[in-house]
Amino acid sequence: MTDSIRELTILQPDDWHIHLRDGKALSTTVSHAADSFNRVICMPNLVPPVKNIDDARAYRDRIMEHLQNSELSIERKSAFDPRMTLYLTDKTTPKDIKLAAQSGIVQAVKLYPAGATTNSSDGVTDINACVDVFEALEKYNLPLLIHGEVTQDHVDIFDREKRFLDEVLAQIIVKFPTLKIVVEHITTSDAADFVLTQGNHIAATITPQHLMFNRNHLLLGGIKQHFYCLPILKRESHQKVLLDVATSGNPKFFLGTDSAPHATDKKENACGCAGCYSAATALPLYATAFDSVGKIDKLEGFASRFGAQFYGMPVNESTVTLINTPMQVPSAYPYFDGY
Ligand code: DOR
Ligand code: ZN
């Protein structure tokens, strides 16, 4: 924030893409998420994944139990509304989609190409075989959330997002012209351009790390595992375009942290996991990014209006005030039985 703005009050934000994990992890992740956000879209890549409406109900119940046991205020507890997703597999049926659409708790369905990222081994191996499911999504107006990267071994990691858009997503959009799609955690100017050229039923989320950092932060002067996420950070020119579109006031781009915790020993490892945990600090991170380009006035649209608009939900009524003061981020948080 600029010197003249020391405080900023905006409508309470929502996080349209978060990983809360499960079990004991929920005592940390749920409190952090509910402290800042009202609605959160909970990713389904648990082990085993959230594949059907029964799994989604049970997972939501576990989240709500941790919410009730947390030390959050009554206001925060009653405002928090975890919205669930189903994990698409080769075996997902149109009936699963119908039940999800009618459930009142499932907000969307998540497509992980098998092998693309953390816990994606049960993901879709042949997108062409998903025709029935995509038809059902279109019919019931349930959005498809996409981890947009191709997975063939020979494709360069920095090209995987663009190749997915050109070779896979473009075809899905032609075959299913009214299917609502969110290209999740976009990382390139190619993805921003792609979304901009589509109709209003195609949108994108952007993470704080992709707005604040680029691959130099990850690699220059030694590998910094804590900057490693998927899709991987790209070159600075892409970061700049992401900042441009996020702060443009275009409602196609909205907040989705992709906050993805991992145990310290799995993250700081010779083969470190992909994921940046940002749930506790996401709002200050986004505010810092927007302020860095003099666009703090665009934060409310991105964080609190455009996602709700896309999902056809009302914007929140409560507000949150951000105060521009230095803060110390802890190096780790309690997670399962450790950190
Ligand atoms: O960096 C990532 N971490 N990207 C993903 O797509 C998944 C996530 C996770 O679940 O850890
Ligand atoms: Zn994610």
Side-chain angles (χ1 to χ4, degrees):
M1 282 164 247
T2 56
D3 281 348
S4 57
I5 306 177
R6 308 301 305 171
E7 284 191 17
L8 177 74
T9 298
I10 58 171
L11 291 170
Q12 195 79 39
D14 305 296
D15 185 351
W16 304 101
H17 183 133
I18 193 167
H19 299 264
L20 296 176
R21 310 298 191 211
D22 205 353
K24 288 184 185 168
L26 294 173
S27 42
T28 296
T29 59
V30 171
S31 299
H32 285 165
D35 206 22
S36 294
F37 301 105
N38 277 12
R39 281 78 56 103
V40 296
I41 290 194
C42 305
M43 288 298 126
N45 60 336
L46 308 181
V47 185
V50 179
K51 291 186 198 163
N52 56 47
I53 184 64
D54 294 336
D55 297 342
R57 276 211 186 89
Y59 183 33
R60 190 171 192 280
D61 288 348
R62 297 195 292 279
I63 293 169
M64 294 311 272
E65 199 183 310
H66 280 81
L67 180 73
Q68 292 318 328
N69 294 338
S70 74
E71 288 173 5
L72 292 164
S73 67
I74 293 174
E75 289 76 29
R76 291 310 314 141
K77 285 182 184 176
S78 59
F80 190 59
D81 180 11
R83 311 296 306 159
M84 310 315 289
T85 52
L86 296 193
Y87 182 116
L88 265 193
T89 72
D90 290 340
K91 296 191 174 127
T92 308
T93 63
K95 187 167 175 216
D96 291 324
I97 304 303
K98 181 178 176 189
L99 293 175
Q102 293 170 345
S103 71
I105 60 161
V106 174
Q107 197 67 44
V109 167
K110 180 72 189 271
L111 166 62
Y112 289 106
T117 187
T118 311
N119 302 339
S120 63
S121 55
D122 291 323
V124 170
T125 59
D126 179 8
I127 289 174
N128 294 321
C130 295
V131 171
D132 292 357
V133 166
F134 291 169
E135 272 170 12
L137 289 173
E138 218 173 14
K139 176 169 170 192
Y140 295 106
N141 203 26
L142 204 55
L144 178 65
L145 315 186
I146 300 186
H147 183 110
E149 290 192 285
V150 296
T151 55
Q152 298 96 311
D153 285 345
H154 65 273
V155 179
D156 191 279
I157 187 169
F158 293 102
D159 297 337
R160 288 176 172 220
E161 183 176 83
K162 179 171 166 36
R163 292 279 297 265
F164 185 90
L165 300 172
D166 294 346
E167 294 166 20
V168 184
L169 187 54
Q171 288 184 36
I172 296 178
I173 289 173
V174 170
K175 284 191 198 141
F176 303 94
T178 62
L179 177 58
K180 274 181 115 167
I181 293 175
V182 183
V183 191
E184 297 289 343
H185 40 54
I186 59 167
T187 65
T188 56
S189 60
D190 310 281
D193 290 345
F194 183 95
V195 169
L196 281 169
T197 57
Q198 304 296 329
N200 288 340
H201 61 301
I202 314 280
T205 52
I206 309 182
T207 76
Q209 65 266 24
H210 291 102
L211 293 177
M212 295 188 76
F213 305 114
N214 60 63
R215 64 195 194 183
N216 275 9
H217 295 98
L218 170 68
L219 295 170
L220 216 59
I223 291 182
K224 264 71 101 245
Q225 300 97 320
H226 289 278
F227 289 102
Y228 177 57
C229 63
L230 288 171
I232 198 163
L233 295 173
K234 306 298 191 299
R235 61 170 65 242
E236 190 188 19
S237 55
H238 292 294
Q239 180 198 352
K240 286 195 164 137
V241 171
L242 296 176
L243 258 176
D244 277 351
V245 294
T247 63
S248 67
N250 187 320
K252 280 172 162 279
F253 301 96
F254 50 81
L255 187 157
T257 60
D258 198 18
S259 174
H262 289 278
T264 303
D265 64 324
K266 301 274 187 335
K267 190 80 191 143
E268 297 174 356
N269 186 295
C271 183
C273 296
C276 300
Y277 184 63
S278 59
T281 50
L283 290 183
L285 293 176
Y286 281 116
T288 303
F290 277 57
D291 197 41
S292 73
V293 288
K295 295 281 181 65
I296 195 74
D297 57 313
K298 301 290 187 193
L299 183 64
E300 185 180 67
F302 177 84
S304 315
R305 290 183 184 278
F306 302 154
Q309 214 168 293
F310 178 83
Y311 283 102
M313 299 166 96
V315 294
N316 296 313
E317 286 171 9
S318 60
T319 57
V320 64
T321 298
L322 302 173
I323 302 170
N324 187 6
T325 51
M327 65 186 283
Q328 184 65 45
V329 179
S331 59
Y333 299 99
Y335 190 61
F336 287 102
D337 287 324
Y339 283 84

PDB file of all heavy atoms in Angstrom, residues 17-19 21 43-45 110 112 117 147 184-185 207 230-231 257-260, ligand 2:
ATOM      1  N   HIS A  17      -9.655 -21.732  -4.581  1.00  0.00           N
ATOM      2  CA  HIS A  17      -8.784 -22.905  -4.833  1.00  0.00           C
ATOM      3  C   HIS A  17      -7.855 -23.068  -3.634  1.00  0.00           C
ATOM      4  O   HIS A  17      -6.877 -22.343  -3.488  1.00  0.00           O
ATOM      5  CB  HIS A  17      -7.961 -22.689  -6.107  1.00  0.00           C
ATOM      6  CG  HIS A  17      -7.099 -23.862  -6.469  1.00  0.00           C
ATOM      7  ND1 HIS A  17      -7.044 -24.374  -7.751  1.00  0.00           N
ATOM      8  CD2 HIS A  17      -6.250 -24.635  -5.749  1.00  0.00           C
ATOM      9  CE1 HIS A  17      -6.220 -25.397  -7.790  1.00  0.00           C
ATOM     10  NE2 HIS A  17      -5.708 -25.571  -6.573  1.00  0.00           N
ATOM     11  N   ILE A  18      -8.149 -24.052  -2.795  1.00  0.00           N
ATOM     12  CA  ILE A  18      -7.294 -24.258  -1.611  1.00  0.00           C
ATOM     13  C   ILE A  18      -7.175 -25.751  -1.322  1.00  0.00           C
ATOM     14  O   ILE A  18      -8.096 -26.525  -1.592  1.00  0.00           O
ATOM     15  CB  ILE A  18      -7.867 -23.503  -0.380  1.00  0.00           C
ATOM     16  CG1 ILE A  18      -6.846 -23.446   0.757  1.00  0.00           C
ATOM     17  CG2 ILE A  18      -9.183 -24.119   0.089  1.00  0.00           C
ATOM     18  CD1 ILE A  18      -7.224 -22.465   1.862  1.00  0.00           C
ATOM     19  N   HIS A  19      -6.019 -26.127  -0.753  1.00  0.00           N
ATOM     20  CA  HIS A  19      -5.816 -27.503  -0.282  1.00  0.00           C
ATOM     21  C   HIS A  19      -5.783 -27.466   1.245  1.00  0.00           C
ATOM     22  O   HIS A  19      -4.848 -26.914   1.826  1.00  0.00           O
ATOM     23  CB  HIS A  19      -4.489 -28.069  -0.801  1.00  0.00           C
ATOM     24  CG  HIS A  19      -4.423 -28.134  -2.293  1.00  0.00           C
ATOM     25  ND1 HIS A  19      -4.725 -29.274  -2.992  1.00  0.00           N
ATOM     26  CD2 HIS A  19      -4.111 -27.193  -3.216  1.00  0.00           C
ATOM     27  CE1 HIS A  19      -4.597 -29.035  -4.295  1.00  0.00           C
ATOM     28  NE2 HIS A  19      -4.233 -27.782  -4.455  1.00  0.00           N
ATOM     29  N   ARG A  21      -6.040 -30.350   2.972  1.00  0.00           N
ATOM     30  CA  ARG A  21      -5.602 -31.696   3.382  1.00  0.00           C
ATOM     31  C   ARG A  21      -6.630 -32.318   4.322  1.00  0.00           C
ATOM     32  O   ARG A  21      -7.798 -31.942   4.303  1.00  0.00           O
ATOM     33  CB  ARG A  21      -4.199 -31.685   4.004  1.00  0.00           C
ATOM     34  CG  ARG A  21      -3.137 -30.950   3.189  1.00  0.00           C
ATOM     35  CD  ARG A  21      -2.887 -31.553   1.835  1.00  0.00           C
ATOM     36  NE  ARG A  21      -1.689 -30.976   1.227  1.00  0.00           N
ATOM     37  CZ  ARG A  21      -1.499 -30.804  -0.061  1.00  0.00           C
ATOM     38  NH1 ARG A  21      -2.438 -31.164  -0.934  1.00  0.00           N
ATOM     39  NH2 ARG A  21      -0.381 -30.282  -0.515  1.00  0.00           N
ATOM     40  N   MET A  43      -9.868 -28.451  -2.588  1.00  0.00           N
ATOM     41  CA  MET A  43      -9.390 -29.388  -3.611  1.00  0.00           C
ATOM     42  C   MET A  43      -9.517 -30.832  -3.107  1.00  0.00           C
ATOM     43  O   MET A  43      -9.384 -31.096  -1.909  1.00  0.00           O
ATOM     44  CB  MET A  43      -7.947 -29.058  -3.973  1.00  0.00           C
ATOM     45  CG  MET A  43      -7.831 -27.799  -4.782  1.00  0.00           C
ATOM     46  SD  MET A  43      -8.702 -27.951  -6.359  1.00  0.00           S
ATOM     47  CE  MET A  43      -9.769 -26.525  -6.305  1.00  0.00           C
ATOM     48  N   PRO A  44      -9.759 -31.752  -4.044  1.00  0.00           N
ATOM     49  CA  PRO A  44     -10.112 -33.127  -3.660  1.00  0.00           C
ATOM     50  C   PRO A  44      -8.941 -34.111  -3.692  1.00  0.00           C
ATOM     51  O   PRO A  44      -9.162 -35.315  -3.588  1.00  0.00           O
ATOM     52  CB  PRO A  44     -11.110 -33.495  -4.767  1.00  0.00           C
ATOM     53  CG  PRO A  44     -10.540 -32.794  -5.981  1.00  0.00           C
ATOM     54  CD  PRO A  44      -9.914 -31.517  -5.491  1.00  0.00           C
ATOM     55  N   ASN A  45      -7.688 -33.609  -3.836  1.00  0.00           N
ATOM     56  CA  ASN A  45      -6.577 -34.558  -4.027  1.00  0.00           C
ATOM     57  C   ASN A  45      -6.046 -35.102  -2.704  1.00  0.00           C
ATOM     58  O   ASN A  45      -4.867 -34.993  -2.384  1.00  0.00           O
ATOM     59  CB  ASN A  45      -5.448 -33.944  -4.875  1.00  0.00           C
ATOM     60  CG  ASN A  45      -4.837 -32.702  -4.263  1.00  0.00           C
ATOM     61  OD1 ASN A  45      -5.470 -32.005  -3.468  1.00  0.00           O
ATOM     62  ND2 ASN A  45      -3.596 -32.417  -4.627  1.00  0.00           N
ATOM     63  N   LYS A 110     -12.902 -31.349 -10.354  1.00  0.00           N
ATOM     64  CA  LYS A 110     -11.498 -31.026 -10.643  1.00  0.00           C
ATOM     65  C   LYS A 110     -10.877 -32.047 -11.578  1.00  0.00           C
ATOM     66  O   LYS A 110     -10.941 -33.251 -11.328  1.00  0.00           O
ATOM     67  CB  LYS A 110     -10.707 -30.978  -9.328  1.00  0.00           C
ATOM     68  CG  LYS A 110      -9.225 -30.659  -9.477  1.00  0.00           C
ATOM     69  CD  LYS A 110      -8.975 -29.212  -9.860  1.00  0.00           C
ATOM     70  CE  LYS A 110      -7.513 -28.955 -10.209  1.00  0.00           C
ATOM     71  NZ  LYS A 110      -6.707 -28.578  -9.064  1.00  0.00           N
ATOM     72  N   TYR A 112      -7.483 -33.391 -12.910  1.00  0.00           N
ATOM     73  CA  TYR A 112      -6.022 -33.511 -12.888  1.00  0.00           C
ATOM     74  C   TYR A 112      -5.631 -34.498 -13.982  1.00  0.00           C
ATOM     75  O   TYR A 112      -6.001 -35.685 -13.887  1.00  0.00           O
ATOM     76  CB  TYR A 112      -5.531 -34.117 -11.570  1.00  0.00           C
ATOM     77  CG  TYR A 112      -5.655 -33.240 -10.354  1.00  0.00           C
ATOM     78  CD1 TYR A 112      -6.639 -33.492  -9.404  1.00  0.00           C
ATOM     79  CD2 TYR A 112      -4.771 -32.192 -10.130  1.00  0.00           C
ATOM     80  CE1 TYR A 112      -6.743 -32.704  -8.266  1.00  0.00           C
ATOM     81  CE2 TYR A 112      -4.876 -31.407  -8.986  1.00  0.00           C
ATOM     82  CZ  TYR A 112      -5.855 -31.668  -8.069  1.00  0.00           C
ATOM     83  OH  TYR A 112      -5.954 -30.892  -6.941  1.00  0.00           O
ATOM     84  N   THR A 117       0.636 -33.635 -10.968  1.00  0.00           N
ATOM     85  CA  THR A 117       1.028 -32.928  -9.740  1.00  0.00           C
ATOM     86  C   THR A 117       0.818 -33.825  -8.523  1.00  0.00           C
ATOM     87  O   THR A 117       0.568 -35.027  -8.664  1.00  0.00           O
ATOM     88  CB  THR A 117       0.243 -31.595  -9.643  1.00  0.00           C
ATOM     89  OG1 THR A 117       0.749 -30.836  -8.540  1.00  0.00           O
ATOM     90  CG2 THR A 117      -1.251 -31.803  -9.468  1.00  0.00           C
ATOM     91  N   HIS A 147      -6.395 -28.460 -13.805  1.00  0.00           N
ATOM     92  CA  HIS A 147      -4.940 -28.318 -13.677  1.00  0.00           C
ATOM     93  C   HIS A 147      -4.414 -28.460 -15.100  1.00  0.00           C
ATOM     94  O   HIS A 147      -4.317 -29.566 -15.624  1.00  0.00           O
ATOM     95  CB  HIS A 147      -4.343 -29.394 -12.756  1.00  0.00           C
ATOM     96  CG  HIS A 147      -2.864 -29.213 -12.575  1.00  0.00           C
ATOM     97  ND1 HIS A 147      -2.296 -28.804 -11.393  1.00  0.00           N
ATOM     98  CD2 HIS A 147      -1.848 -29.334 -13.460  1.00  0.00           C
ATOM     99  CE1 HIS A 147      -0.993 -28.687 -11.557  1.00  0.00           C
ATOM    100  NE2 HIS A 147      -0.684 -29.013 -12.805  1.00  0.00           N
ATOM    101  N   GLU A 184      -7.056 -23.245 -13.651  1.00  0.00           N
ATOM    102  CA  GLU A 184      -6.563 -22.944 -12.304  1.00  0.00           C
ATOM    103  C   GLU A 184      -5.095 -22.512 -12.338  1.00  0.00           C
ATOM    104  O   GLU A 184      -4.331 -22.927 -13.204  1.00  0.00           O
ATOM    105  CB  GLU A 184      -6.718 -24.185 -11.419  1.00  0.00           C
ATOM    106  CG  GLU A 184      -8.167 -24.632 -11.227  1.00  0.00           C
ATOM    107  CD  GLU A 184      -8.974 -23.689 -10.335  1.00  0.00           C
ATOM    108  OE1 GLU A 184      -8.377 -22.885  -9.605  1.00  0.00           O
ATOM    109  OE2 GLU A 184     -10.217 -23.769 -10.368  1.00  0.00           O
ATOM    110  N   HIS A 185      -4.762 -21.692 -11.366  1.00  0.00           N
ATOM    111  CA  HIS A 185      -3.375 -21.224 -11.124  1.00  0.00           C
ATOM    112  C   HIS A 185      -2.596 -20.987 -12.423  1.00  0.00           C
ATOM    113  O   HIS A 185      -1.603 -21.666 -12.691  1.00  0.00           O
ATOM    114  CB  HIS A 185      -2.616 -22.171 -10.200  1.00  0.00           C
ATOM    115  CG  HIS A 185      -2.841 -23.652 -10.419  1.00  0.00           C
ATOM    116  ND1 HIS A 185      -2.664 -24.258 -11.634  1.00  0.00           N
ATOM    117  CD2 HIS A 185      -3.233 -24.627  -9.569  1.00  0.00           C
ATOM    118  CE1 HIS A 185      -2.920 -25.550 -11.518  1.00  0.00           C
ATOM    119  NE2 HIS A 185      -3.275 -25.795 -10.270  1.00  0.00           N
ATOM    120  N   THR A 207      -2.464 -17.425  -8.263  1.00  0.00           N
ATOM    121  CA  THR A 207      -1.949 -17.585  -6.895  1.00  0.00           C
ATOM    122  C   THR A 207      -1.108 -16.367  -6.502  1.00  0.00           C
ATOM    123  O   THR A 207      -0.613 -15.634  -7.378  1.00  0.00           O
ATOM    124  CB  THR A 207      -1.035 -18.827  -6.789  1.00  0.00           C
ATOM    125  OG1 THR A 207       0.234 -18.513  -7.395  1.00  0.00           O
ATOM    126  CG2 THR A 207      -1.634 -20.055  -7.447  1.00  0.00           C
ATOM    127  N   LEU A 230       3.525 -26.352  -8.653  1.00  0.00           N
ATOM    128  CA  LEU A 230       3.139 -26.712 -10.023  1.00  0.00           C
ATOM    129  C   LEU A 230       1.801 -26.074 -10.374  1.00  0.00           C
ATOM    130  O   LEU A 230       0.898 -26.101  -9.540  1.00  0.00           O
ATOM    131  CB  LEU A 230       3.042 -28.235 -10.159  1.00  0.00           C
ATOM    132  CG  LEU A 230       4.402 -28.942 -10.141  1.00  0.00           C
ATOM    133  CD1 LEU A 230       4.222 -30.444 -10.069  1.00  0.00           C
ATOM    134  CD2 LEU A 230       5.234 -28.564 -11.373  1.00  0.00           C
ATOM    135  N   PRO A 231       1.660 -25.502 -11.545  1.00  0.00           N
ATOM    136  CA  PRO A 231       2.701 -25.307 -12.535  1.00  0.00           C
ATOM    137  C   PRO A 231       3.836 -24.442 -11.989  1.00  0.00           C
ATOM    138  O   PRO A 231       3.603 -23.497 -11.234  1.00  0.00           O
ATOM    139  CB  PRO A 231       1.984 -24.588 -13.681  1.00  0.00           C
ATOM    140  CG  PRO A 231       0.530 -24.878 -13.487  1.00  0.00           C
ATOM    141  CD  PRO A 231       0.334 -25.033 -12.015  1.00  0.00           C
ATOM    142  N   THR A 257      -5.738 -19.271  -4.067  1.00  0.00           N
ATOM    143  CA  THR A 257      -4.359 -19.285  -3.537  1.00  0.00           C
ATOM    144  C   THR A 257      -3.559 -20.499  -3.977  1.00  0.00           C
ATOM    145  O   THR A 257      -2.352 -20.446  -4.077  1.00  0.00           O
ATOM    146  CB  THR A 257      -4.359 -19.283  -2.001  1.00  0.00           C
ATOM    147  OG1 THR A 257      -5.047 -20.466  -1.538  1.00  0.00           O
ATOM    148  CG2 THR A 257      -4.994 -18.030  -1.443  1.00  0.00           C
ATOM    149  N   ASP A 258      -4.264 -21.636  -4.184  1.00  0.00           N
ATOM    150  CA  ASP A 258      -3.580 -22.929  -4.326  1.00  0.00           C
ATOM    151  C   ASP A 258      -2.695 -23.187  -3.117  1.00  0.00           C
ATOM    152  O   ASP A 258      -1.664 -23.869  -3.234  1.00  0.00           O
ATOM    153  CB  ASP A 258      -2.764 -23.009  -5.625  1.00  0.00           C
ATOM    154  CG  ASP A 258      -2.428 -24.448  -5.983  1.00  0.00           C
ATOM    155  OD1 ASP A 258      -3.084 -25.368  -5.463  1.00  0.00           O
ATOM    156  OD2 ASP A 258      -1.492 -24.662  -6.776  1.00  0.00           O
ATOM    157  N   SER A 259      -3.088 -22.644  -1.974  1.00  0.00           N
ATOM    158  CA  SER A 259      -2.328 -22.913  -0.745  1.00  0.00           C
ATOM    159  C   SER A 259      -2.234 -24.422  -0.554  1.00  0.00           C
ATOM    160  O   SER A 259      -3.253 -25.113  -0.490  1.00  0.00           O
ATOM    161  CB  SER A 259      -3.062 -22.266   0.433  1.00  0.00           C
ATOM    162  OG  SER A 259      -2.428 -22.617   1.635  1.00  0.00           O
ATOM    163  N   ALA A 260      -1.008 -24.939  -0.488  1.00  0.00           N
ATOM    164  CA  ALA A 260      -0.804 -26.397  -0.544  1.00  0.00           C
ATOM    165  C   ALA A 260       0.285 -26.800   0.444  1.00  0.00           C
ATOM    166  O   ALA A 260       1.475 -26.788   0.111  1.00  0.00           O
ATOM    167  CB  ALA A 260      -0.420 -26.809  -1.964  1.00  0.00           C
TER     168      ALA A 260
HETATM  169 ZN    ZN B   2      -4.119 -26.845  -6.283  1.00  0.00          ZN
END
